[in-house]
Amino acid sequence: MSTENNKTNASAEPKEDQKNDFIRHIIREDVANDKYEQIITRFPPEPNGYLHLGHVKSICLNFGIAKEFEGICNLRFDDTNPTAEKQDYIDNIKNDVKWLGFEWADKPYYASDYFDQLHEWAIKLIKQGDAYVDLQTPEQIRETRGSFNEPGKPSPQRDASVEDNLQRFDDMKNGKYAEGEAVLRAKIDMASPNMNMRDPVIYRVMKQSHHQTGDKWCIYPMYDYAHPLSDAIEGITHSICTLEFEDHRPFYDWAVEKVSAEGGIKYPPHQYEFSRLNVDHTMTSKRKLKQLVDEGIVTGWDDPRMPTIAGMRRRGYTPEGLRDFCERVGVTKSDSVVDFRLLEFSIRQSLENTTARGMAVLKPLKVTITNFEEALSEWESLKDEGVNARWDEAEKTLWINQPKHPNVDMGEREIPFTETIYIDQGDYELEPPKGYKRLSPEKSEIRLRNTYVLAVTEHVLDDAGNVVELKATIDKTTLGKNPEDRKVKGVIHWVSATKGVPATVRMYEHLFSAENPSAVPDLHDALNPNSLTVLEAVVEPSLANAEAGSRFQFEREGYFVADAEEHTADKPVFNQIVSLRDNYKPE
């Protein structure tokens, strides 16, 4: 089903019935009917890349259901292709699941744990007449598979004897065939309207070392064969996957049924499909994400622009925000596209009361306060009026104490106020647009956050006509209070020019300018050339001294995180998480 014209504007208000989706309804009925002794789900990633935003929904669903119904959820790596898998991927998947707030049952499992059993079952299928070794080339197999309008053609080896097939399969196992010379295929129906049932390959020769089993095997099971049988071995009661696997379900059931013959599986697993998470301007193809990494278009799997969990974590997204987003999206069988702004809404909601405040000037404009020492000579007279500050005579600096959060007790921070400060370039306009409420030649007075009312007396231009410095004065009676004789409109943030700390600040837009990047034939054409802007900013000392990974609200600018890899007190680096502005309007 196409999702291009079926864009959902999910509600930013939680729904009471949000957890009464069709999958939970099925499980409630199973529990009421005592169908299973215990509900067992699993999250079964292939360790061939980093997890992405789409996996977050699956993780929340599988682990969430297990918790809600007092069951267990296995973390299982469906590691059937050693050429594409790495230990690094496995380690990061474990970290991602834990970071999202979930714990798997017992220990991590691997499909490779069951390779001996899967091999025995393959022999069982051969003996039952349900599998055969095909000696055609991969090209011949593709050519004889048929199409949606034409049935496939049977392999010349399709009706070989059980004895011949057992010998050929044993030869495959013992390395007597080169890669591509022989495969084991399920014997089902070459005329089936479901292409997945036209004698699918279930084993192939791969003379590759495996990250878990070493060099024990030179044949490996295909994913579609290993996956349902791994579910069966683990006693999975509800195998939950996305809709693209709906056409694979008949083979899933076939494989479980065939290996169960005469032995039986107490609780044959059943597959349930839900719609995958599609978000506009977002790509969730691991193959294409890997291409971005391999070509150096991004700095790695954890580049903050990437929709990987590692990237979102480094970007500063919170696990609480991601879980909230998945709850708001819900679980359905209808494919749709979710507005990216809903994700930002959930992240912003999670940050509002959990992040300390601080001031950072992203595009500095120097301001020299010409009456600084004169004004500050009388600041002590304001102490009795509730001003919490201290004067450092040696450094000519007023250190002002302010809460780290206006509504949540997070302690206080000291902000240095000096003769020269920086304000943002956008806070002074020579030709202000209509409705502009900050500084301009016509509007010279404004309040500096947490300090004095400032009045601009002069602006200095460079040869190109750009404003490079302001001269100003402060009203010495306005520290911590408004002037009595006039009303001053507007408040701007600032940072000390001498005590502030230079910092690298990374601003982000969508990595993909295309709303549906998956529909663009050439991945490069979908990219946004403005996805990253690096600014040389100045931040107050409390921000520079923060631990890597700490999140903040830069006042009037947005939410930012001290980069987990590169941030130090000497060389601060901050990544933009989300803007302050919430322009999401649910329908």
Side-chain angles (χ1 to χ4, degrees):
M1 179 186 299
S2 172
T3 62
E4 187 70 19
N5 297 313
N6 189 20
K7 187 169 180 178
T8 183
N9 204 3
S11 175
E13 294 298 322
K15 297 180 181 179
E16 291 183 5
D17 63 346
Q18 202 151 35
K19 290 196 176 183
N20 193 27
D21 53 75
F22 77 97
I23 290 179
R24 287 177 169 88
H25 178 73
I26 290 169
I27 295 175
R28 287 191 181 97
E29 287 190 344
D30 290 342
V31 170
N33 295 327
D34 294 323
K35 186 174 181 179
Y36 303 106
E37 294 177 2
Q38 185 180 37
I39 299 301
I40 305 177
T41 61
R42 83 288 173 272
F43 174 61
E46 297 175 71
N48 57 2
Y50 279 38
L51 299 183
H52 53 63
L53 183 58
H55 291 113
V56 176
K57 181 177 178 180
S58 181
I59 292 170
C60 290
L61 181 58
N62 280 285
F63 282 92
I65 281 175
K67 182 177 180 180
E68 290 170 40
F69 294 94
E70 299 181 349
I72 60 175
C73 181
N74 290 346
L75 172 63
R76 183 182 75 238
F77 295 96
D78 279 345
D79 53 343
T80 60
N81 183 7
T83 63
E85 298 161 0
K86 295 180 181 179
Q87 188 63 42
D88 174 54
Y89 297 151
I90 293 172
D91 294 340
N92 275 279
I93 289 170
K94 292 177 184 177
N95 290 338
D96 289 345
V97 173
K98 287 184 177 180
W99 178 76
L100 282 170
F102 299 105
E103 290 289 339
W104 49 84
D106 192 17
K107 62 178 182 179
Y109 293 94
Y110 299 82
S112 56
D113 293 339
Y114 315 130
F115 278 179
D116 287 319
Q117 180 63 72
L118 296 176
H119 178 257
E120 289 182 17
W121 276 337
I123 293 174
K124 176 183 174 69
L125 292 177
I126 293 172
K127 290 180 177 179
Q128 292 174 177
D130 293 317
Y132 63 95
V133 173
D134 192 343
L135 301 179
Q136 295 182 102
T137 65
E139 292 75 17
Q140 289 172 326
I141 291 175
R142 281 193 294 270
E143 290 170 0
T144 58
R145 194 164 176 246
S147 67
F148 289 109
N149 300 318
E150 296 180 351
K153 298 177 181 179
S155 163
Q157 289 83 41
R158 193 171 195 269
D159 294 322
S161 68
V162 169
E163 291 74 19
D164 285 347
N165 281 313
L166 288 172
Q167 183 60 57
R168 289 168 181 165
F169 189 53
D170 193 55
D171 289 343
M172 286 175 61
K173 176 179 177 293
N174 292 325
K176 294 183 180 180
Y177 289 105
E179 293 185 14
E181 285 187 344
V183 294
L184 183 68
R185 297 177 69 175
K187 190 175 183 180
I188 308 177
D189 182 3
M190 288 301 293
S192 173
N194 185 335
M195 302 291 284
N196 296 294
M197 299 297 280
R198 293 186 183 180
D199 292 10
V201 174
I202 58 177
Y203 262 94
R204 77 286 208 199
V205 176
M206 295 182 71
K207 295 184 178 181
Q208 300 285 336
S209 181
H210 192 280
H211 48 87
Q212 298 297 314
T213 60
D215 296 322
K216 179 179 178 179
W217 299 93
C218 66
I219 57 170
Y220 290 96
M222 299 297 289
Y223 174 88
D224 276 1
Y225 172 75
H227 177 77
L229 299 184
S230 296
D231 281 352
I233 291 169
E234 294 177 8
I236 302 303
T237 57
H238 298 79
S239 176
I240 304 168
C241 61
T242 46
L243 279 174
E244 62 262 35
F245 291 98
E246 187 172 24
D247 289 342
H248 296 248
R249 192 195 325 147
F251 180 71
Y252 183 107
D253 294 338
W254 181 92
V256 172
E257 178 186 352
K258 290 297 183 180
V259 303
S260 297
E262 300 178 4
I265 294 174
K266 186 174 182 180
Y267 298 127
H270 186 77
Q271 178 175 298
Y272 302 90
E273 305 89 15
F274 67 97
S275 61
R276 66 182 298 167
L277 180 56
N278 300 301
V279 181
D280 62 21
H281 297 282
T282 303
M283 172 83 70
T284 56
S285 162
K286 279 195 285 187
R287 178 179 60 82
K288 292 184 178 180
L289 294 178
K290 185 176 185 298
Q291 180 183 347
L292 296 177
V293 175
D294 292 343
E295 293 183 6
I297 294 172
V298 294
T299 58
W301 286 97
D302 67 343
D303 187 304
R305 294 168 292 174
M306 288 280 273
T308 57
I309 298 177
M312 292 185 290
R313 179 166 58 245
R314 190 168 177 184
R315 174 79 176 262
Y317 284 13
T318 64
E320 297 82 6
L322 289 171
R323 295 196 302 266
D324 177 76
F325 170 65
C326 289
E327 283 196 19
R328 293 179 188 277
V329 170
V331 180
T332 70
K333 289 185 76 75
S334 299
D335 265 339
S336 60
V337 178
V338 178
D339 193 321
F340 189 87
R341 291 173 299 173
L342 177 60
L343 171 59
E344 293 184 320
F345 174 89
S346 290
I347 299 300
R348 194 178 290 109
Q349 289 286 100
S350 72
L351 294 169
E352 170 61 28
N353 292 318
T354 60
T355 54
R357 302 319 193 230
M359 291 192 292
V361 176
L362 304 188
K363 297 179 179 180
L365 172 62
K366 182 181 178 182
V367 179
T368 300
I369 301 171
T370 57
N371 69 334
F372 181 79
E373 289 200 44
E374 173 195 349
L376 269 294
S377 66
E378 300 183 24
W379 79 272
E380 289 196 18
S381 65
L382 300 174
K383 278 187 174 181
D384 294 337
E385 300 180 23
V387 174
N388 186 2
R390 64 180 178 87
W391 171 255
D392 188 319
E393 177 63 28
E395 297 184 348
K396 301 298 183 182
T397 300
L398 182 67
W399 292 87
I400 304 169
N401 287 289
Q402 286 293 316
K404 292 182 178 179
H405 193 288
N407 303 315
V408 180
D409 185 6
M410 295 182 179
E412 293 189 335
R413 76 209 202 251
E414 275 195 322
I415 307 170
F417 184 58
T418 53
E419 183 176 8
T420 54
I421 62 173
Y422 291 122
I423 66 171
D424 195 87
Q425 293 173 10
D427 286 334
Y428 187 86
E429 292 283 355
L430 290 175
E431 298 179 4
K434 184 177 181 180
Y436 186 79
K437 298 180 180 179
R438 286 161 282 170
L439 293 168
S440 68
E442 289 74 32
K443 182 182 183 300
S444 63
E445 199 171 50
I446 204 163
R447 172 168 286 283
L448 297 176
R449 176 81 79 186
N450 304 316
T451 56
Y452 296 88
V453 170
L454 176 136
V456 176
T457 57
E458 178 186 353
H459 63 251
V460 180
L461 304 179
D462 64 11
D463 293 340
N466 300 311
V467 178
V468 293
E469 184 182 359
L470 301 177
K471 307 287 187 178
T473 60
I474 53 175
D475 185 335
K476 62 185 179 181
T477 67
T478 58
L479 181 60
K481 65 177 184 178
N482 293 318
E484 297 178 357
D485 58 346
R486 64 196 184 281
K487 187 173 183 179
V488 177
K489 294 182 179 180
V491 179
I492 62 173
H493 64 290
W494 55 274
V495 172
S496 165
T498 54
K499 298 295 184 182
V501 182
T504 298
V505 175
R506 297 166 178 154
M507 306 293 289
Y508 299 107
E509 295 180 10
H510 290 301
L511 179 58
F512 299 100
S513 55
E515 185 169 331
N516 182 10
S518 298
V520 179
D522 188 335
L523 179 65
H524 303 86
D525 293 336
L527 292 168
N528 177 8
N530 301 313
S531 62
L532 170 64
T533 301
V534 179
L535 302 175
E536 295 306 318
V538 182
V539 302
E540 66 172 81
S542 67
L543 296 175
N545 293 324
E547 291 185 6
S550 301
R551 302 179 183 89
F552 297 92
Q553 184 192 111
F554 289 1
E555 297 190 40
R556 299 179 66 229
E557 295 290 0
Y559 292 99
F560 292 79
V561 63
D563 187 81
E565 300 295 329
E566 300 177 33
H567 175 87
T568 65
D570 294 334
K571 295 182 178 180
V573 178
F574 293 92
N575 301 326
Q576 181 191 36
I577 306 173
V578 288
S579 65
L580 285 178
R581 184 181 180 186
D582 177 16
N583 59 0
Y584 182 73
K585 296 180 180 179
E587 293 178 350

Coordinates of all heavy atoms in Angstrom, one line a residue, residues 34 72 78 117 151 302 310 345 375 377 458 472 524 537 540 578:
D34 N -6.8 -18.5 28.6 CA -5.8 -19.4 29.1 C -5.1 -20.2 27.9 O -4.7 -21.4 28.0 CB -6.3 -20.4 30.1 CG -6.7 -19.7 31.4 OD1 -6.1 -18.7 31.8 OD2 -7.7 -20.1 31.9
I72 N 7.6 -12.3 29.1 CA 9.0 -12.0 28.9 C 9.2 -11.7 27.4 O 8.4 -12.1 26.5 CB 9.9 -13.2 29.3 CG1 9.5 -14.4 28.5 CG2 9.8 -13.4 30.8 CD1 10.5 -15.6 28.8
D78 N 19.0 -12.4 14.7 CA 18.8 -13.3 13.6 C 20.0 -13.2 12.7 O 20.0 -12.6 11.7 CB 17.5 -13.0 12.9 CG 16.3 -13.6 13.6 OD1 16.5 -14.5 14.5 OD2 15.2 -13.2 13.3
Q117 N 20.2 -27.5 15.5 CA 18.8 -27.9 15.4 C 18.2 -27.6 14.0 O 17.5 -28.4 13.4 CB 18.0 -27.2 16.4 CG 16.5 -27.6 16.4 CD 16.3 -29.1 16.7 OE1 16.4 -29.5 17.8 NE2 15.9 -29.8 15.7
P151 N 3.6 -19.0 -13.9 CA 4.1 -19.9 -12.9 C 5.6 -20.1 -13.1 O 6.2 -19.9 -14.2 CB 3.3 -21.2 -13.1 CG 3.0 -21.1 -14.5 CD 2.7 -19.7 -14.8
D302 N 26.4 7.1 14.1 CA 25.9 7.9 15.2 C 25.9 9.4 14.9 O 25.8 10.2 15.8 CB 26.6 7.6 16.5 CG 28.1 8.1 16.4 OD1 28.6 8.3 15.3 OD2 28.7 8.2 17.5
A310 N 21.4 5.4 17.7 CA 22.7 5.9 18.2 C 22.8 7.4 17.8 O 23.3 8.2 18.5 CB 23.9 5.1 17.5
F345 N 7.7 17.2 18.9 CA 6.8 17.5 20.0 C 7.1 16.7 21.2 O 7.2 17.1 22.4 CB 5.4 17.4 19.6 CG 4.3 17.6 20.6 CD1 3.8 18.9 20.9 CD2 3.9 16.5 21.4 CE1 2.9 19.1 21.9 CE2 2.9 16.7 22.4 CZ 2.5 18.0 22.7
A375 N 28.1 52.4 36.8 CA 26.9 51.8 37.2 C 27.1 50.7 38.3 O 26.3 50.6 39.2 CB 26.2 51.2 36.0
S377 N 29.3 50.5 40.5 CA 29.8 51.0 41.7 C 28.7 51.1 42.8 O 28.9 51.2 44.0 CB 30.5 52.4 41.6 OG 29.5 53.3 41.1
E458 N 25.2 53.8 20.1 CA 25.9 54.0 18.9 C 26.1 52.6 18.3 O 26.3 51.6 19.0 CB 27.3 54.6 19.1 CG 28.2 54.7 17.9 CD 29.6 55.3 18.3 OE1 29.8 55.6 19.4 OE2 30.4 55.3 17.4
A472 N 26.8 51.1 24.3 CA 25.6 51.1 25.1 C 25.8 51.5 26.5 O 27.0 51.5 27.0 CB 24.9 49.8 25.0
H524 N 21.4 10.4 -3.4 CA 22.0 11.7 -3.3 C 21.1 12.9 -3.7 O 21.3 14.0 -3.1 CB 23.3 11.7 -4.3 CG 24.2 10.6 -4.0 ND1 24.1 9.4 -4.5 CD2 25.3 10.6 -3.2 CE1 25.1 8.6 -4.1 NE2 25.9 9.3 -3.3
A537 N 30.1 29.8 18.5 CA 29.3 30.6 19.4 C 30.1 30.9 20.7 O 31.3 30.5 20.8 CB 28.1 29.7 19.8
E540 N 27.9 30.7 28.3 CA 28.3 31.0 29.7 C 29.0 29.9 30.3 O 28.9 28.7 29.9 CB 27.0 31.3 30.5 CG 26.1 30.2 30.7 CD 24.9 30.5 31.7 OE1 23.9 31.2 31.2 OE2 25.1 30.1 32.8
V578 N 16.3 20.1 19.5 CA 15.1 20.6 18.8 C 15.0 22.1 19.1 O 15.6 22.6 20.1 CB 13.7 20.0 19.3 CG1 13.6 18.5 18.8 CG2 13.6 20.0 20.8

